[in-house]
Amino acid sequence: MLALRLVRGSRPLVQLRRLLVAAAAAGVGFLLLCVLGHAVGHPEHSSASALRLLWCVLPIAATVQFAVAVARTDPATRPRPGLSSIGLGPARLTAIAAASTAVACTLGSLVALLLFLHLRGDLTGLPFDGAAAGPLAAGQPLPLAAALTLLAIVPVAGAAAAGLALRPRTGTPAPEGAARPVPTGLPWGVALVAVGLAVETYASRGGGEGVALPGRFDGSPAGVLAGWVLTAIGLALAGPGLTHLCGRLLQAVRPGAVRLLAGRVLMDEAGRIGRPLGVVCAVLSGTLAAATLYGAGDGTAFGPLTALGAGVVLACTTASLLTAALESRQCRTHTAEALARIGAPPTVLRTAALLRAGALLAVFAPLTWLIGALAALPLTA
């Protein structure tokens, strides 16, 4: 009940972020129910239904990542002086964050269930002249237990991930301005990217059994898809290290005060914004490779469910990056106030933010294009 009261009493921007989490959960829930509809309508193709369910892991992971990012920026779950005296210590705030995440994801799952039942004609008759009757197995009984189990995946996973991310940690806390360790995942990330590209190249030349994606996007060798997964994991691991490197480059060659400020912020926030930035880089490079590979076709390679899943992944990863940037800004509030007290002009913070954005764009944009081009090259040769 306390979590529900905190949700109702939050500011409009916080409510908007929770609604976006609910919308992402609704998209994933609809995909999962469509997989269930395919399994009900085609019981003889159980392996194809299992593959469709497996491909739903990507949008589920993107949605959970976004839900955790929103939970981290929720003011209701931020420790404040005096809360422990009324029973709202760190452990209780973590439980509230998990409950709030579960509420938002459950709302999205319920919306997905209502939409799915409406398209099947279980509520008010078949809409759109029965266009969705075949894919959703309209007219056949829907196993309620299976539907509820699938719809519970995102709320349970989101709540568990939020609880783990915000759990109280023992040891010396990191106050703002304290030195943070240098990210060490850059060499491993580069190695995984290289291995992933090598696997894609080898698999594309050797052929192999095709793996069908939901919709009409089929015939991709399993090795190519495994290579892309390795590449994506490598970019996520390398993101913090690359962000830290951007901060060092900004401070190179006789830097002024603005460049020093921008570079130091990037180095301090490398762990917070580097990983979601690497994930966005991986998603965009995969999108670029797919567009290069199938852009010359007749437009039928992407079915509606494939487009929905890709849209959920792209939207959630981008929103996670923006939310991480917002969290970074919130953590620098005291620094901004200190600069204002000593008479620093407001343009200093804006210029430093533009420098940080320009440095990240100068490094990650060419990297995204290069990875996407290298991933598509062996498949189009």
Side-chain angles (χ1 to χ4, degrees), residues 6-7 10 14-22 70 74 76 100 104:
L6 291 174
V7 167
S10 300
V14 178
Q15 298 284 23
L16 177 61
R17 292 199 295 265
R18 290 170 178 158
L19 287 178
L20 291 177
V21 172
V70 170
D74 195 336
S100 301

Side-chain angles (χ1 to χ4, degrees), residues 5 15 24 63 83 99 120 138 143 170 174 177 186 189 194 197 243 251 256 266 271 280 303 310 323 355 364 379:
R5 291 179 181 177
Q15 298 284 23
T63 302
L83 290 181
R120 275 173 48 93
T170 58
L186 183 57
L197 291 175
T243 304
Q251 301 175 81
L266 274 185
V280 170
T323 306
L355 281 176
F364 281 91
L379 300 176

Side-chain angles (χ1 to χ4, degrees), residues 263-347:
R264 178 57 61 181
V265 168
L266 274 185
M267 292 174 62
D268 289 344
E269 302 298 328
R272 181 176 286 113
I273 66 175
R275 184 160 289 108
L277 189 57
V279 172
V280 170
C281 179
V283 171
L284 291 179
S285 63
T287 304
L288 179 61
T292 303
L293 182 59
Y294 295 97
D298 57 359
T300 61
F302 294 92
L305 298 183
T306 303
L308 176 60
V312 168
V313 171
L314 184 59
C316 287
T317 52
T318 304
S320 298
L321 176 60
L322 296 177
T323 306
L326 177 62
E327 181 188 5
S328 175
R329 181 181 177 183
Q330 292 175 349
C331 292
R332 297 195 309 272
T333 301
H334 298 299
T335 300
E337 293 174 352
L339 289 174
R341 284 196 300 269
I342 64 177
T347 55

Side-chain angles (χ1 to χ4, degrees), residues 37-367:
H38 181 274
V40 171
H42 305 83
E44 70 280 3
H45 297 152
S46 58
S47 59
S49 299
L51 283 176
R52 288 169 179 259
L53 183 61
L54 180 62
W55 277 108
C56 290
V57 171
L58 293 179
I60 289 174
T63 302
V64 170
Q65 180 197 20
F66 179 42
V68 171
V70 170
R72 291 173 65 94
T73 59
D74 195 336
T77 61
R78 190 175 302 124
R80 291 183 294 273
L83 290 181
S84 297
S85 60
I86 59 174
L88 292 178
R92 185 74 179 275
L93 291 177
T94 300
I96 291 175
S100 301
T101 303
V103 168
C105 293
T106 302
L107 176 62
S109 297
L110 291 177
V111 171
L113 179 60
L114 291 176
L115 178 61
F116 182 77
L117 294 177
H118 174 65
L119 293 178
R120 275 173 48 93
D122 295 336
L123 300 179
T124 58
L126 283 174
F128 308 114
D129 297 328
L136 303 185
Q140 301 188 31
L142 184 70
L144 183 60
L148 295 180
T149 300
L150 290 176
L151 290 177
I153 291 178
V154 175
V156 172
L164 287 175
L166 299 177
R167 69 187 186 279
R169 291 175 172 83
T170 58
T172 304
E176 184 183 5
R180 290 177 171 82
V182 178
T184 58
L186 183 57
W188 294 102
V190 172
L192 277 179
V193 169
V195 170
L197 291 175
V199 170
E200 289 183 45
T201 303
Y202 178 79
S204 63
R205 292 179 179 178
E209 183 181 357
V211 176
L213 279 70
R216 305 186 189 93
F217 192 24
D218 51 13
S220 299
V224 173
L225 302 176
W228 181 83
V229 171
L230 288 175
T231 303
I233 296 175
L235 287 173
L237 286 176
L242 290 175
T243 304
H244 193 274
L245 180 61
C246 289
R248 285 191 175 276
L249 292 178
L250 276 178
Q251 301 175 81
V253 191
R254 302 176 62 181
V258 177
R259 278 206 291 145
L260 277 174
L261 177 62
R264 178 57 61 181
V265 168
L266 274 185
M267 292 174 62
D268 289 344
E269 302 298 328
R272 181 176 286 113
I273 66 175
R275 184 160 289 108
L277 189 57
V279 172
V280 170
C281 179
V283 171
L284 291 179
S285 63
T287 304
L288 179 61
T292 303
L293 182 59
Y294 295 97
D298 57 359
T300 61
F302 294 92
L305 298 183
T306 303
L308 176 60
V312 168
V313 171
L314 184 59
C316 287
T317 52
T318 304
S320 298
L321 176 60
L322 296 177
T323 306
L326 177 62
E327 181 188 5
S328 175
R329 181 181 177 183
Q330 292 175 349
C331 292
R332 297 195 309 272
T333 301
H334 298 299
T335 300
E337 293 174 352
L339 289 174
R341 284 196 300 269
I342 64 177
T347 55
V348 170
L349 294 177
R350 291 195 291 267
T351 305
L354 290 176
L355 281 176
R356 294 195 301 270
L360 293 176
L361 189 64
V363 171
F364 281 91
L367 178 64

